[in-house]
Amino acid sequence: MRIKIAPSILSADFSAMGAAVKRCEAGGADLVHCDVMDGSFVGPITFGGQMVKSIRPLTKLPLDVHLMIEHPKTQIKFFAEAGADIITVHYEACAGISESYLEETLALIRSYGVKCGAVINPDVPAEKLFPVLPLCDMVLVMSVFPGYGGQKFIPEVLPKISALRALAELAGRPDMDIEIDGGINAQTAPLAVAAGANVLVAGSALFGAPDFAAAVKELRG
Ligand code: DX5
Ligand code: ZN
């Protein structure tokens, strides 16, 4: 299975985001991972749809928008219209609202012709995503608690990746995208891939590297 590399622009220089996005493409990345934080679901605030709209014309790479926000349904329109190619929403942000909120949000994303995915935090079991798997183009397993780049990889999440890969295979979708996010570097990427992940998000390991393209290659393995 082809390994896709998704640099997280959270670790880029926010005063030069255009250059960072161009660097992703020139460096051989497959997606641009955009971390949207609202200061409530997670502590920090990063950026919104306006940023996605501004970087959209600067690259042909798909924009992978990771929403770490409360009430994600209210924001889908803005990110879809800004040009997101895939939008992922957290199970934890939806579960407290209603039983069907995650499903409804995924359907709303799709209604804009945008790919959709569901995300779980490190302390949430993989089983929580099983019911929505048929609705998702991708699932995202967090390997750190969201909010900050540069945290240490939590290896205990790896069996969840294997469980989701096994279920995807059972469902006749062996090529389903399973993304992992947090603490991915040259040491942890092979563990994630061995467990069944095929989309690797990396912030500090790429934007902190002396040679971005070489670091992308190294992660790809
Ligand atoms: C964490 C974000 C991640 C983060 C990854 O809240 O969702 O995408 O930027 O950064 P690294 O690769 O440095 O852990
Ligand atoms: Zn992310």
Side-chain angles (χ1 to χ4, degrees):
M1 197 168 190
R2 193 184 134 76
I3 303 304
K4 299 180 209 172
I5 305 299
S8 165
I9 55 172
L10 179 64
S11 297
D13 176 356
F14 272 46
S15 74
M17 207 45 104
V21 167
K22 289 180 179 165
R23 209 166 156 207
C24 295
E25 187 166 328
D30 301 278
L31 302 155
V32 176
H33 186 81
C34 305
D35 283 311
V36 176
M37 304 185 185
D38 67 351
S40 176
F41 180 73
V42 289
I45 296 176
T46 53
F47 52 78
Q50 189 63 44
M51 174 70 87
V52 173
K53 193 175 173 185
S54 298
I55 62 174
R56 176 66 287 174
L58 304 180
T59 180
K60 287 194 283 293
L61 294 182
L63 300 180
D64 167 27
V65 175
H66 175 193
L67 294 184
M68 287 160 275
I69 65 173
E70 309 276 10
H71 300 281
K73 221 203 257 185
T74 63
Q75 295 296 315
I76 299 307
K77 178 179 193 285
F78 304 114
F79 290 97
E81 288 176 354
D85 294 279
I86 177 155
I87 300 176
T88 59
V89 292
H90 270 263
Y91 163 82
E92 304 81 18
C94 299
I97 301 176
S98 77
E99 215 171 291
S100 55
Y101 192 91
L102 177 56
E103 240 177 84
E104 289 161 22
T105 309
L106 295 168
L108 180 63
I109 297 169
R110 268 179 192 272
S111 76
Y112 286 96
V114 175
K115 290 184 176 173
C116 68
V119 192
I120 46 171
N121 275 340
D123 58 350
V124 172
E127 287 73 19
K128 298 290 188 191
L129 291 188
F130 289 180
V132 294
L133 210 70
L135 309 173
C136 291
D137 296 289
M138 179 166 86
V139 289
L140 166 52
V141 174
M142 293 304 299
S143 40
V144 299
F145 283 91
Y148 305 91
Q151 302 184 75
K152 200 173 166 289
F153 183 76
I154 301 172
E156 286 77 12
V157 308
L158 291 171
K160 297 198 287 184
I161 304 249
S162 306
L164 287 161
R165 178 58 72 203
L167 187 68
E169 277 167 9
L170 261 176
R173 295 174 64 201
D175 54 353
M176 190 176 101
D177 282 332
I178 301 184
E179 185 174 51
I180 185 163
D181 183 5
I184 295 294
N185 55 36
Q187 284 70 48
T188 56
L191 306 175
V193 170
N198 70 308
V199 185
L200 308 179
V201 177
S204 44
L206 291 178
F207 285 100
D211 182 341
F212 191 96
V216 168
K217 261 203 189 124
E218 193 178 14
L219 285 188
R220 215 190 282 286

